[in-house]
Amino acid sequence: MSKTLFDKIWEKHIVKEVEGGPSVLYIDKHFIHEVTSPQAFKGLEKRGISLFRPQQIVATADHNVPTINQHLPIKDELSRLQVQQLKENCAHHGVELYGLGHPYQGIVHVIGPELGITQPGMTIVCGDSHTSTHGAFGAIAFGIGTSEVEMVFASQCLMQSKPKLMRINIEGELNKGVVSKDIILHIIALISASGGTGYFVEYAGSAIRSLSMEARMTICNMSIEMGARGGMIAPDETTFAYIKGREFAPQGEAWEKKLAEWKTLYSDADAVFDEELHINAADIEPMITYGTNPGQGIAVNGKIPSGSDNAKALQYMGLEAGKPLLGMPVQHVFIGSCTNSRIEDLRMVASLIKGKRKSDKVQVMIVPGSQQVSKQVKAEGLDKIFEEAGFEIRQAGCSACLGMNEDKIPAGEYCISTSNRNFEGRQGAGARTLLASPLTAAAAAITGVVTDVRELI
Amino acid sequence: MQALSTIHSRFVPLQMENVDTDQIIPARFLKATTRDGFGKNLFRDWRYENNDEAKPKADFVLNQPKYSGEILVAGKNFGCGSSREHAAWAIQDYGFKVVVSSFFADIFKNNALNNGVLPVTVSENFLQKLFAQGEAATVTVNLEQQTITIDGTGEQEKFEINAYKKTCLLNGYDDIDFLLSIKKDIEAFELQR
């Protein structure tokens, strides 16, 4: 019988079926971070049990860390305690930790792939909804809650019902100035912030095949923003070339063996999906959001739609239906987050702004996704370009994407952000977020207003 | 986990769609390392003016004494966004045992179930009927029968829950109890891969 990519991986990880209930799904890799793990460690201790497979867990500190002076003790007491707790828990339970100061530290969804830990055919979980990012490698990867983190600690398994499957096919060539962030914002605007709920999504088609791994990660990353549990892309030569030679990638004979296995990971030609969507790549324009959920997006040169469900969002955003966003002043530009903080994203920004200076009216913050990305930025001299442009480069972390540390956008001010959520108060109480691609964000940094990047390239 | 069976209560109507977990509990409250005390920050930025507990926003339902009860009724796609279980902890700590919506985001739904908070999915039509009730109206949620009833009118709907989760909730078991009981199967699975 023909199978989907999802089915092939899912079936290989079922330990047991439970009558009238979910399946027992085996988890290959478990990423943890400081914010959603402490209560799970406490739960284990309360039950008097130890970690079942500590060597299958990798930890980092990202959500709640400062992005300046990371060599100094963290100023905020609660944040310091939380990061310290992670350190103690990992030491106590024998978990590998890439904490502050470690050369591998960074946003959990950036470091997993860049270290070669994330591989095709795996089941991967993390107490973070953007775990869907890892699906770009042809893995079943999804976010879980803290009780589930504790389950994986205790048994390396989760009780999971099989989701419905959706395939989104994007065929053709992308227009000038359109990048993978625009593809995913276009999809979410099309099917809404809840259009994928209950589904696992496979992205396919020639437009997807032509993307780099970084670009594919951006798309899978935001699957959760349409409600989908995860997103995935069948591995191909681009995937294999990306993984080969990375720190934790298989080597020698093991590589050949894995490679043969990975090459079987695709949806069979006549595999059936519960839902299928076809999008013409040429229809996608540079996108921007105007509202308070990621489905409220338009082409950057479009007009804000009217409609009763927009009223509350527009009031919060201080915007009016029927008006364009183009030309509207912004006060902040944030380039970072697990969606768009990889080296390719930063190269994209650098190539657009090289030799230019930011507008005096905006503050621009670039937060690389990991220590390794920071290192690469310096090696390629991108830091000089950013400095000359007046951009501030920070140290790795989640930063202003979720406003948990001190990197916040002030109430009432507008921020063009390469992150993934424009929820009310997400970037700080009262902050107004416009989600866009790194190119569109960089364009606004130069002009100080919402800009159609196609006019600058 | 606490066992749950029948809840008979008034309800708090939160007539909004796409309520995300950043609204349920903003990120700045996620610095705790225990599960306790999140209720006081539930819907923090909708509840208070400028984050000031002395200035409750009068138009927000949690600040309106006419609404109370152990049931929260909200618009579709409740709990979307971040996987933070703190959202379920905040709802539970505040005193809600049931959340009713026309549909829930997947991760929130699991988080709620794992904490003994019952997510009840009803039709959009039934949801609107609930919103149309007066503040004194009561609702009965019967987990055993899988029904939700508006007591005043007798209108009733069946809701879905998988048999395994239902047994867990009725008995106060959790998944870890079950997973630990099949550890031998898990070890055998690892060996044959």
Side-chain angles (χ1 to χ4, degrees):
Chain A
M1 206 183 104
S2 56
K3 287 177 182 169
T4 64
L5 166 64
F6 182 92
D7 290 332
K8 289 179 182 177
I9 304 171
W10 177 267
E11 286 166 10
K12 275 198 172 157
H13 289 83
I14 298 300
V15 176
K16 201 181 167 80
E17 304 282 357
V18 178
E19 182 126 0
S23 309
V24 178
L25 183 73
Y26 190 81
I27 303 301
D28 294 318
K29 279 288 166 209
H30 185 192
F31 292 103
I32 63 169
H33 61 84
E34 75 278 24
V35 177
T36 59
S37 68
Q39 293 89 348
F41 279 112
K42 278 206 171 76
L44 275 194
E45 282 154 21
K46 215 169 132 192
R47 288 172 202 263
I49 52 176
S50 52
L51 279 189
F52 184 53
R53 295 288 179 247
Q55 70 280 14
Q56 283 168 247
I57 307 172
V58 174
T60 192
D62 57 1
H63 280 64
N64 196 7
V65 299
T67 55
I68 43 170
N69 294 323
Q70 286 183 347
H71 62 290
L72 298 176
I74 300 175
K75 278 191 201 151
D76 181 278
E77 196 194 342
L78 287 175
S79 303
R80 190 175 65 246
L81 286 174
Q82 200 174 49
V83 172
Q84 181 60 28
Q85 181 90 66
L86 178 71
K87 211 168 160 180
E88 285 165 19
N89 285 335
C90 288
H92 181 68
H93 291 275
V95 172
E96 185 78 59
L97 168 66
Y98 304 137
L100 278 187
H102 193 286
Y104 294 165
Q105 181 266 340
I107 304 176
V108 62
H109 311 308
V110 174
I111 69 169
E114 81 183 0
L115 292 171
I117 298 170
T118 300
Q119 294 168 18
M122 282 182 167
T123 47
I124 300 172
V125 294
C126 173
D128 187 279
S129 60
H130 293 110
T131 307
S132 56
T133 311
H134 306 263
F137 291 80
I140 293 182
F142 55 93
I144 55 176
T146 298
S147 294
E148 292 169 316
V149 170
E150 192 181 331
M151 286 171 212
V152 184
F153 279 172
S155 68
Q156 206 56 36
C157 288
L158 277 177
M159 310 289 294
Q160 286 291 306
S161 300
K162 195 177 168 194
K164 290 183 284 182
L165 301 178
M166 183 191 296
R167 181 160 61 185
I168 301 179
N169 304 280
I170 304 154
E171 300 288 350
E173 268 181 53
L174 293 172
N175 290 316
K176 186 178 88 166
V178 174
V179 294
S180 69
K181 181 66 163 284
D182 301 305
I183 299 179
I184 189 65
L185 286 174
H186 177 91
I187 294 172
I188 305 168
L190 199 69
I191 71 170
S192 91
S194 58
T197 304
Y199 289 93
F200 224 92
V201 178
E202 180 180 341
Y203 302 95
S206 60
I208 297 291
R209 297 254 75 87
S210 71
L211 297 175
S212 68
M213 286 316 295
E214 284 91 343
R216 294 179 190 186
M217 282 188 253
T218 300
I219 291 183
C220 289
N221 171 277
M222 287 189 73
S223 302
I224 184 73
E225 307 313 335
M226 52 180 152
R229 199 63 201 279
M232 62 202 309
I233 294 171
D236 58 11
E237 291 305 324
T238 305
T239 321
F240 309 143
Y242 178 96
I243 299 171
K244 195 169 188 181
R246 288 183 186 263
E247 182 75 30
F248 296 99
Q251 287 174 359
E253 250 179 71
W255 169 263
E256 294 304 329
K257 199 170 157 240
K258 278 287 175 196
L259 193 61
E261 203 182 299
W262 295 345
K263 285 184 174 171
T264 66
L265 297 174
Y266 52 84
S267 289
D268 295 331
D270 45 358
V272 180
F273 290 80
D274 298 292
E275 181 78 48
E276 197 142 14
L277 214 67
H278 296 272
I279 292 171
N280 183 355
D283 292 341
I284 306 174
E285 297 191 73
M287 294 288 292
I288 191 162
T289 65
Y290 59 86
T292 54
N293 76 56
Q296 292 172 317
I298 50 173
V300 69
N301 55 2
K303 289 196 171 100
I304 300 168
S306 52
S308 57
D309 38 331
N310 281 349
K312 186 173 183 291
L314 292 181
Q315 191 191 4
Y316 178 85
M317 292 296 290
L319 297 172
E320 243 181 275
K323 297 261 171 75
L325 282 171
L326 269 190
M328 189 186 86
V330 296
Q331 292 76 45
H332 303 267
V333 173
F334 172 65
I335 295 165
S337 88
C338 57
T339 312
N340 282 124
S341 64
R342 297 178 182 83
I343 189 65
E344 186 185 87
D345 300 314
L346 306 190
R347 282 181 194 139
M348 202 191 302
V349 171
S351 71
L352 188 86
I353 63 147
K354 193 174 182 182
K356 297 192 176 84
R357 176 90 199 154
K358 77 168 179 72
S359 157
D360 291 340
K361 301 205 170 66
V362 291
Q363 289 187 339
V364 186
M365 187 159 69
I366 293 205
V367 186
S370 70
Q371 303 288 348
Q372 298 222 81
V373 172
S374 292
K375 207 171 128 191
Q376 187 70 21
V377 161
K378 289 200 184 91
E380 296 182 19
L382 306 184
D383 54 332
K384 298 278 180 313
I385 298 173
F386 296 142
E387 274 160 26
E388 279 164 21
F391 290 15
E392 187 186 359
I393 314 175
R394 296 292 192 100
Q395 289 170 294
C398 298
S399 182
C401 170
L402 83 163
M404 201 172 161
N405 70 356
E406 54 282 359
D407 305 346
K408 291 186 174 77
I409 307 303
E413 299 191 3
Y414 292 97
C415 176
I416 292 213
S417 178
T418 67
S419 56
N420 39 59
R421 290 187 175 135
N422 50 356
F423 297 155
E424 285 184 32
R426 172 80 177 180
Q427 297 195 288
R432 292 160 164 173
T433 304
L434 308 165
L435 300 175
S437 77
L439 275 183
T440 299
I446 300 302
T447 60
V449 297
V450 175
T451 300
D452 189 335
V453 68
R454 289 170 292 197
E455 288 163 16
L456 300 187
I457 51 180
Chain B
M1 202 168 79
Q2 237 178 355
L4 197 81
S5 53
T6 300
I7 307 289
H8 171 74
S9 167
R10 285 165 63 191
F11 62 91
V12 178
L14 182 62
Q15 212 165 346
M16 267 186 249
E17 295 182 352
N18 301 312
V19 173
D20 61 76
T21 53
D22 274 77
Q23 307 316 315
I24 301 173
I25 185 90
R28 61 184 186 277
F29 300 112
L30 308 187
K31 296 180 182 183
T33 55
T34 66
R35 291 173 179 239
D36 317 312
F38 289 100
K40 67 177 192 295
N41 296 319
L42 176 67
F43 295 117
R44 181 79 190 196
D45 292 333
W46 284 347
R47 230 161 122 187
Y48 303 112
E49 209 69 68
N50 301 321
N51 198 23
D52 184 351
E53 279 174 44
K55 291 184 195 154
K57 293 183 182 175
D59 59 350
F60 188 62
V61 283
L62 292 191
N63 296 327
Q64 298 175 339
K66 62 179 179 178
Y67 297 119
S68 68
E70 296 178 320
I71 301 172
L72 178 67
V73 179
K76 76 168 186 199
N77 200 23
F78 186 82
C80 59
S82 157
S83 62
R84 60 188 69 168
E85 192 162 313
H86 313 65
W89 299 335
I91 284 171
Q92 185 179 47
D93 189 48
Y94 185 86
F96 291 119
K97 291 183 173 155
V98 175
V99 186
V100 180
S101 179
S102 56
F103 82 83
F104 291 92
D106 289 329
I107 306 180
F108 174 81
K109 191 169 162 184
N110 283 344
N111 288 343
L113 286 167
N114 285 332
N115 286 280
V117 172
L118 178 65
V120 173
T121 307
V122 296
S123 67
E124 193 59 42
N125 185 30
F126 195 82
L127 186 71
Q128 294 312 322
K129 276 184 188 155
L130 282 170
F131 284 138
Q133 301 296 310
E135 62 257 25
T138 58
V139 161
T140 301
V141 174
N142 185 323
L143 176 57
E144 184 66 55
Q145 302 293 323
Q146 296 178 222
T147 55
I148 173 167
T149 312
I150 302 172
D151 297 321
T153 64
E155 284 163 292
Q156 190 180 75
E157 222 175 69
K158 281 278 254 187
F159 62 86
E160 295 288 324
I161 181 168
N162 80 49
Y164 165 82
K165 274 289 172 199
K166 181 172 163 181
T167 312
C168 283
L169 281 177
L170 286 171
N171 297 296
Y173 299 153
D174 65 22
D175 287 359
I176 297 184
D177 299 328
F178 177 78
L179 288 167
L180 290 175
S181 77
I182 60 158
K183 215 158 194 177
K184 281 208 166 61
D185 295 319
I186 299 170
E187 282 164 345
F189 174 84
E190 286 178 322
L191 285 175
Q192 55 86 33
R193 296 183 82 199

